[in-house]
Amino acid sequence: MSARPIRRLTGHRMSPQQRTLLWLCVLTVALTALVLIWPATAPLTVLMVPLLLGSLLLGPRELPWFVVLVMVCLMASITAQDRITSRTVLAISVLFLLCFIVLVTSFRRSRLGVGGVMGESMFIDLRDRILSQGAVPDLGDGWMVQGALRSAGGTPFAGDFVVSTRPRHRNSYELVVVDVSGKGEQAGTRALLLSGAFGGLIGALAPGEFLPAANDYLLRQDWDEGFATAIHLSLDLDTGAFELRMAGHPPAAQRDAGSGRWTVHEGEGPVLGLIEDAEFRTVSGVLRRGDALMLYTDGMVETPRRDIGLGIDRMLGQAEGLLRGDFDGGADRLVDALGSENDDRALVLVHRR
């Protein structure tokens, strides 16, 4: 009877994980046979090759059983050794220790439910989704928006993130810059959740309703460190009129094309996730031809030894020199020039050409 009728009768089809487990088992048995047949030529350490591959490719359900198989094959290989020296005993101890480490790791992975490579790919996909939330949609001629993000220590995950959208029912652009409590990988998990939630809220609500809704969402999470600062921009692309609302966040700065000077737009509003029924004051303004608006997180201006006001003055002084006559790549130049590598830093530059 062919394999196809058998599969049809049993109704069972091997999953990719099961096929991987099968091939690793075949490899382990083949290497064990080599050690048994030529013990003087094939070392015991060859069994670490399938063990390493299994830790990378197998899920938490299959990996413990595979580790047991490797340990059994290792014990069988020991019986074929001509002499058991102290060097051999030490090597065997190290090999069993490695098996134990992989076994413990598989139990820890069972909380996530996926294996090593698959788990890493999931986190990479989540990180890419955070970055895609801040991707700038096409705003048409006359507008340029740039963003730059750096995480603490250069890790892939950061507590700062940007979410933006262009609502379909009006010719406007909405943007929110968020700084989650903590930094780097510590705040990365909360940033993953909040970026998705804020991405669903922004554009779906009226501009004045976004921060109250975001505040309510954070309060419902009941996190130990469940607070965040944010600044929300709503920009009319026809007139250049904008509204800013801040939640415990550093103020935005506007550059006047005529004078070349920067003006700080101070706002009022509590940090998100601390106070119920919080109110957020609206700051209004207009971006004329050549003007620019800069939104950023406190990692750009605040250090343990420097007041945030002095940090803002320093940032604006750097902006006058780095952005003079050329805004292209300005966000990256400012982020690289300012802030500490031990802090998350984010900056968005909106320029009306």
Side-chain angles (χ1 to χ4, degrees), residues 5 13 41-42 61 138 142 168 180 200 202 238 241 244 246 253 277 316 319:
R13 187 172 184 178
T41 304
R61 293 175 56 185
D138 183 17
R168 295 181 179 180
V180 180
I202 191 170
D238 292 327
L244 289 168
M246 282 156 265
D277 300 323
L316 297 182

Side-chain angles (χ1 to χ4, degrees), residues 14-305:
M14 296 182 66
S15 66
Q17 281 285 306
Q18 291 173 332
R19 286 196 295 269
T20 302
L21 176 61
L22 176 60
W23 284 111
L24 286 175
C25 290
V26 171
L27 176 62
T28 304
V29 172
L31 293 176
T32 304
L34 288 177
V35 176
L36 293 174
I37 297 172
W38 297 290
T41 304
L44 293 172
T45 52
V46 297
L47 291 175
M48 293 302 99
V49 175
L51 179 66
L52 177 61
L53 292 175
S55 66
L56 293 175
L57 301 176
L58 295 179
R61 293 175 56 185
E62 297 85 3
L63 184 56
W65 299 105
F66 179 70
V67 173
V68 172
L69 172 66
V70 173
M71 296 175 72
V72 170
C73 291
L74 182 57
M75 288 186 290
S77 301
I78 294 173
T79 61
Q81 301 300 306
D82 296 331
R83 289 191 310 156
I84 304 296
T85 63
S86 58
R87 184 183 181 89
T88 306
V89 172
L90 181 59
I92 293 171
S93 301
V94 171
L95 295 177
F96 274 106
L97 178 61
L98 291 175
C99 291
F100 178 74
I101 292 173
V102 173
L103 191 63
V104 172
T105 302
S106 70
F107 292 143
R108 294 188 61 186
R109 286 180 184 173
S110 63
R111 297 177 57 188
L112 182 61
V114 293
V117 175
M118 187 180 298
E120 292 174 359
S121 64
M122 287 177 60
F123 281 113
I124 292 173
D125 181 62
L126 288 172
R127 180 201 63 188
D128 293 341
R129 288 180 184 274
I130 284 183
L131 298 177
S132 66
Q133 292 276 4
V136 180
D138 183 17
L139 303 184
D141 296 336
W143 292 98
M144 181 185 69
V145 181
Q146 302 177 39
L149 174 66
R150 304 288 187 274
S151 60
T155 61
F157 297 95
D160 297 351
F161 64 89
V162 178
V163 176
S164 67
T165 188
R166 184 174 180 180
R168 295 181 179 180
H169 56 278
R170 60 183 185 271
N171 190 27
S172 63
Y173 175 62
E174 293 196 37
L175 169 79
V176 59
V177 179
V178 183
D179 184 358
V180 180
S181 58
K183 60 184 179 180
E185 296 176 350
Q186 299 175 359
T189 54
R190 294 192 296 275
L192 285 171
L193 179 61
L194 290 183
S195 65
F198 288 5
L201 293 174
I202 191 170
L205 300 174
E209 299 175 358
F210 171 76
L211 286 182
N215 184 59
D216 291 341
Y217 179 83
L218 268 170
L219 287 171
R220 292 197 302 271
Q221 305 312 306
D222 195 25
W223 290 333
D224 292 335
E225 290 186 81
F227 62 90
T229 68
I231 181 168
H232 177 217
L233 167 68
S234 179
L235 174 64
D236 190 313
L237 298 175
D238 292 327
T239 64
F242 64 85
E243 293 180 347
L244 289 168
R245 295 173 180 85
M246 282 156 265
H249 202 83
Q254 180 179 357
R255 181 183 184 273
D256 182 84
S259 63
R261 296 180 178 178
W262 290 87
T263 303
V264 176
H265 291 292
E266 297 283 355
E268 295 181 1
V271 174
L272 298 176
L274 296 182
I275 302 174
E276 294 184 1
D277 300 323
E279 296 182 358
F280 305 93
R281 189 169 68 89
T282 301
V283 178
S284 301
V286 178
L287 283 177
R288 299 178 178 83
R289 299 289 181 183
D291 289 0
L293 191 66
M294 186 161 54
L295 292 76
Y296 51 93
T297 58
D298 60 6
M300 293 290 298
V301 295
E302 189 177 35
T303 64
R305 299 181 180 179

